[in-house]
Amino acid sequence: MSSDIGRPVVSKVLCYIVRDSRLLVFRHRDVPWEEVGVQVPAGSIRAGEAPEVAALREAREETGLTDFTVVRKLGDTHYDVSPYRFEIQHRRIFELALHEDTPERWFSREDHDGEGEPTRFECFWIPLANGHVLQSGQGALLGRLVE
């Protein structure tokens, strides 16, 4: 699909995982934070995949954790990621619950289905009130968590 400004529209999911008023985020270990910032688990929806299923898959792939459930869909947003990539992201944003214990910080890696080099992450919790530090508009619907 293409947007009205000629850029492709890409379907994405974002995951807000909150525990004790803290948000689960990560940073890339091999790319400076100045380039990619602090992020929440997110990624592309695969062909034929339901957005809820994509959200659970992305949360598992990026955090290394497994026991998530979808609490609710918070809404949809559109975000123009140019000039990083010339695309418009149609983002479906979900609140997920995590049903397992975690340390304050841990390392994980996404293996990309065995293609290419794994992406290494450091996962950690930040106060929900500090969600404004998220990169590329990822915090757009955080306010809906406290409504």
Side-chain angles (χ1 to χ4, degrees):
M1 182 169 25
S2 179
S3 71
D4 60 349
I5 56 175
R7 294 193 191 119
V9 177
V10 180
S11 293
K12 300 283 188 174
V13 292
L14 270 72
C15 306
Y16 294 161
I17 303 157
V18 178
R19 178 184 283 164
D20 300 325
S21 299
R22 296 181 307 148
L23 180 68
L24 178 56
V25 298
F26 69 86
R27 69 170 189 86
H28 288 256
R29 291 177 55 207
D30 299 319
V31 181
W33 69 267
E34 295 93 335
E35 292 180 30
V36 294
V38 176
Q39 303 175 42
V40 294
S44 296
I45 301 172
R46 295 176 178 167
E49 185 176 43
E52 296 84 355
V53 173
L56 292 168
R57 176 181 50 75
E58 288 292 342
R60 290 177 185 126
E61 287 176 354
E62 293 180 355
T63 67
L65 305 172
T66 58
D67 197 3
F68 295 98
T69 55
V70 173
V71 174
R72 61 185 166 143
K73 182 178 180 184
L74 295 168
D76 290 21
T77 64
H78 286 85
Y79 189 82
D80 183 346
V81 296
S82 53
Y84 176 64
R85 279 192 305 262
F86 290 96
E87 69 185 30
I88 307 294
Q89 294 184 350
H90 175 191
R91 296 173 171 178
R92 292 154 179 93
I93 302 175
F94 293 90
E95 177 184 2
L96 302 185
L98 175 61
H99 307 285
E100 61 189 279
D101 292 332
T102 67
E104 286 296 311
R105 291 183 176 268
W106 68 96
F107 294 137
S108 68
R109 58 189 258 164
E110 184 174 359
D111 291 322
H112 308 290
D113 298 325
E115 296 185 20
E117 291 295 315
T119 304
R120 300 177 335 135
F121 303 119
E122 179 183 16
C123 300
F124 53 100
W125 298 92
I126 64 170
L128 184 57
N130 293 350
H132 62 277
V133 302
L134 293 173
Q135 64 97 25
S136 300
Q138 286 192 345
L141 299 184
L142 280 175
R144 293 190 180 171
L145 293 172
V146 294
E147 291 179 341

